[in-house]
Amino acid sequence: MLSHFSETIKLEDPCNRGGHVEKSLRLHFTLCKSRAVVLLLFVALSLRAPFGAAQGLDPALLLRSATDTWPTYNGDYSGRRFSPLDQINASNIGSLTLAWIFPAHLGIKSTPLEVNGILYFTAPDNVWAVDARFGREIWHYERKSEGDHVGHRGLGMYKNWLYFTSPDAHMICLDAKDGTVRWNVELADPKLGYFSTMAPLVIRDHVIAGVSGDVTDVRGFLESLDPETGAIQWRWYTEPDPGQPGSETWPKDTDALLHGGGMTWMTGTYDPELNLLYWGTGNPNPVLVGEGREGDNLYTCSILALNPDTGKLAWYFQPSPHDVHDWDAVETPVLFDAEFKGKQRKLLAQASRNSFFFVLDRTNGQHLLTAPFIDQTWASGVDSHGRPIAKPEAAPSPDGALVEPSSDGGTNWMAPSYDPQTGLFYVNARRIFSIFYLTATGKAEGWGGRDRNLWANSTLRALDYRTGKVVWNHELGHGSTIAGILTTAGRLLFTADNSGNLLALDPATGKTLWHLNVGAQLIASPMTYQLDGRQYLIVPVQDNVYAFALPLPSQ
């Protein structure tokens, strides 16, 4: 473009046209000065962030399906991970080509945001802004911290400000234009074992974030911060205070309730019409040990519906009462409207870590369906509330108990998807056996036991949300997958297998339509957007971010 611009100036230079010498020299000098100014301006702008960065995020885009913008962790509030884009589709997927690669040199579990032509993504202690068309770095922010660096999921955005959490349980606000820090607040004391890995969720003027931690017996919570200042607007603890509703599910006359875990690891979802925020909570503490915390242990291993303006609980559902296997219920609560038993309903579906698939009415939490989506050996059935009934012999013991799934779960944090075109729910699942041991003597704290995996393989399953039955199955190979899923209106499903293959499948049948060995395991979730009429597929693979697109038309 620069050479074309220079050639245009050259062709219009009066020195090449003849005429009066003095006049030509004056014109030449004037045009040369103008050309220099324009060229310097062009170069300066090319070294800065695109103009769109200054515009910030239009809040209306958070209420729409993601097309030219992917403004939040799941693309939109629903958690469906379905894109209405169809330029890349089942008929032309064989022509998909590499557009660019960005080397981050750190493992990327983050799903990038894309706003105004810029990608924003994270690793623990790090944030990048990258040109979404060409993969060129615009800025990089790094802040060294103490704490657990297990991984990081991504960012939230409000106007022209970015929000991310840190291994030392801080929330940091950056200016999206240049990565400078606006404010930095502590969510929780890292000396107590708190850290944070999740991508904040922005709802109007609320930045909502949670915390992580298993090594110490601390309470989980979810809180809302003021996007302008970082001040706390509300905080909701996952264990109630003594005397509050739910406290009766913990033993009386002990301090178990105030040390109960229930971390809020992952990003939730939101229904703007109902003004309800949906979030999953983690396991109770001490981990793998039920003695000393008899009862269901609310609100751990639960799906919550909260008012985002006040933090008040509207309803809850508990997939794993009195959990003793570390089966968090933090997997994405996916929202969609569809027919169920002849009635149109507002639904919430979760494929939970305990290997069961749950469908609820998200207006009130009414249980509609519970069904295993992968093999399990720990439950004998389902109670009248739709909760699995645990077998006593499946609890950890000093001699060990053989259980399927392991503490890693029949699935885990990786993104599922719901495709409204097929009406199917998709989840990457594991067949995984483990022996659960009790290791603590005396009063258990933190981890009171451990499990040891014996064998695992992985499969992608398409579920009928009306029945929970498996419609089709696509094997992913030996080991435990942590690849996420993306479906699109181009009748494609993107994910990866355990042999390093990026896959494009037919979402109606599971048939492989395209694959590429990228040489490493996918530890994140694909996303997509369209700019200047060209659709891009973004896939973080270990420490590189890959961008794929269809070939540009020949000039």
Side-chain angles (χ1 to χ4, degrees):
M1 181 176 179
L2 183 60
S3 61
H4 175 72
F5 182 83
S6 300
E7 182 66 21
T8 301
I9 293 290
K10 181 179 179 181
L11 291 173
E12 293 177 354
D13 189 332
C15 293
N16 294 332
R17 296 182 180 179
H20 194 277
V21 175
E22 183 179 348
K23 181 179 179 180
S24 296
L25 287 172
R26 286 201 303 269
L27 286 171
H28 176 77
F29 180 74
T30 300
L31 285 173
C32 283
K33 283 203 305 180
S34 299
R35 177 174 64 182
V37 170
V38 171
L39 288 176
L40 285 172
L41 178 61
F42 181 88
V43 171
L45 288 173
S46 70
L47 296 175
R48 291 171 59 91
F51 283 117
Q55 299 170 6
L57 173 62
D58 179 356
L61 295 174
L62 291 165
L63 302 173
R64 303 174 191 167
S65 297
T67 52
D68 61 343
T69 302
W70 187 283
T72 192
Y73 175 71
N74 287 308
D76 62 22
Y77 282 134
S78 73
R80 297 184 305 173
R81 293 272 179 156
F82 172 82
S83 170
L85 297 178
D86 63 0
Q87 183 183 90
I88 301 171
N89 56 59
S91 65
N92 60 26
I93 186 65
S95 299
L96 197 65
T97 189
L98 187 64
W100 52 260
I101 302 175
F102 179 82
H105 306 298
L106 289 169
I108 303 294
K109 292 185 177 180
S110 166
T111 298
L113 305 185
E114 187 276 311
V115 179
N116 297 320
I118 303 174
L119 289 174
Y120 304 99
F121 54 91
T122 65
D125 294 336
N126 290 266
V127 181
W128 289 268
V130 170
D131 187 297
R133 295 172 175 85
F134 306 111
R136 175 177 53 85
E137 182 177 301
I138 297 167
W139 54 258
H140 174 212
Y141 171 82
E142 183 176 14
R143 170 187 174 271
K144 296 291 187 181
S145 70
E146 301 295 326
D148 197 320
H149 287 62
V150 63
H152 201 270
R153 321 302 177 194
L155 304 120
M157 190 170 187
Y158 172 86
K159 296 182 179 178
N160 201 43
W161 306 324
L162 298 167
Y163 305 86
F164 79 105
T165 58
S166 68
D168 58 354
H170 281 230
M171 172 82 84
I172 301 164
C173 177
L174 303 179
D175 191 316
K177 290 182 291 185
D178 53 19
T180 55
V181 177
R182 297 185 63 251
W183 50 255
N184 178 345
V185 300
E186 186 178 84
L187 296 173
D189 188 347
K191 294 184 180 64
L192 298 178
Y194 285 106
F195 60 102
S196 192
T197 65
M198 48 81 65
L201 184 65
V202 175
I203 299 174
R204 296 186 299 277
D205 59 350
H206 305 291
V207 181
I208 299 167
V211 288
S212 309
D214 267 335
V215 296
T216 56
D217 294 339
V218 290
R219 296 170 84 187
F221 63 86
L222 193 67
E223 73 178 27
S224 176
L225 305 180
D226 185 316
E228 304 275 356
T229 66
I232 296 177
Q233 296 168 328
W234 54 258
R235 175 178 285 190
W236 193 88
Y237 282 100
T238 57
E239 289 86 33
D241 289 329
Q244 290 184 338
S247 62
E248 72 281 358
T249 66
W250 293 82
K252 294 181 180 180
D253 304 321
T254 74
D255 62 353
L257 179 64
L258 301 180
H259 299 275
M263 297 301 152
T264 46
W265 291 80
M266 290 295 297
T267 307
T269 52
Y270 173 63
D271 185 327
E273 182 181 339
L274 298 174
N275 194 33
L276 286 178
L277 169 68
Y278 305 95
W279 215 280
T281 65
N283 59 277
N285 280 22
V287 190
L288 305 190
V289 178
E291 184 179 354
R293 56 172 174 85
E294 291 78 7
D296 287 349
N297 305 146
L298 290 174
Y299 296 94
T300 66
C301 288
S302 296
I303 301 167
L304 311 172
L306 303 171
N307 183 314
D309 299 311
T310 65
K312 183 178 179 181
L313 180 68
W315 59 257
Y316 73 91
F317 178 83
Q318 191 175 38
S320 294
H322 188 70
D323 170 72
V324 292
H325 296 95
D326 191 23
W327 289 329
D328 300 344
V330 300
E331 290 76 21
T332 304
V334 179
L335 315 181
F336 55 96
D337 298 346
E339 177 271 332
F340 190 90
K341 294 187 177 179
K343 181 181 178 181
Q344 194 71 14
R345 304 190 79 142
K346 296 175 79 66
L347 302 175
L348 179 153
Q350 185 191 72
S352 205
R353 193 155 151 180
N354 65 10
S355 294
F356 281 85
F357 177 64
F358 301 92
V359 179
L360 310 175
D361 184 321
R362 71 176 183 271
T363 66
N364 54 20
Q366 179 188 352
H367 165 261
L368 301 175
L369 175 77
T370 300
F373 62 85
I374 194 73
D375 304 338
Q376 62 82 29
T377 65
W378 70 275
S380 60
V382 177
D383 69 17
S384 60
H385 300 290
R387 308 177 309 173
I389 302 169
K391 298 176 182 177
E393 63 269 26
S397 68
D399 293 332
L402 178 63
V403 180
E404 184 183 18
S406 75
S407 64
D408 291 335
T411 189
N412 206 290
W413 64 272
M414 52 276 199
S417 182
Y418 172 79
D419 185 338
Q421 294 182 148
T422 62
L424 297 176
F425 185 101
Y426 305 95
V427 58
N428 277 337
R430 299 97 162 254
R431 308 174 185 92
I432 181 166
F433 287 89
S434 187
I435 300 179
F436 285 79
Y437 294 97
L438 283 182
T439 58
T441 57
K443 183 180 178 181
E445 295 182 357
W447 283 82
R450 287 289 175 180
D451 72 310
R452 293 292 180 263
N453 292 347
L454 301 179
W455 176 88
N457 74 0
S458 301
T459 182
L460 169 60
R461 293 204 150 169
L463 308 178
D464 183 338
Y465 73 88
R466 300 173 184 85
T467 64
K469 293 183 178 179
V470 177
V471 176
W472 56 256
N473 191 73
H474 185 102
E475 294 299 320
L476 299 175
H478 180 72
S480 298
T481 179
I482 54 172
I485 300 170
L486 170 73
T487 55
T488 74
R491 301 199 176 276
L492 293 171
L493 182 154
F494 293 99
T495 191
D497 65 18
N498 289 339
S499 298
N501 290 298
L502 178 62
L503 304 174
L505 308 180
D506 182 335
T509 65
K511 178 183 177 182
T512 302
L513 302 177
W514 174 88
H515 70 93
L516 174 70
N517 194 296
V518 290
Q521 190 177 20
L522 181 63
I523 58 174
S525 302
M527 55 84 76
T528 189
Y529 54 87
Q530 188 163 305
L531 293 173
D532 304 328
R534 193 182 195 198
Q535 183 181 353
Y536 295 83
L537 171 70
I538 302 297
V539 185
V541 180
Q542 298 289 4
D543 57 355
N544 292 305
V545 179
Y546 288 78
F548 297 90
L550 295 175
L552 290 169
S554 57
Q555 301 297 321

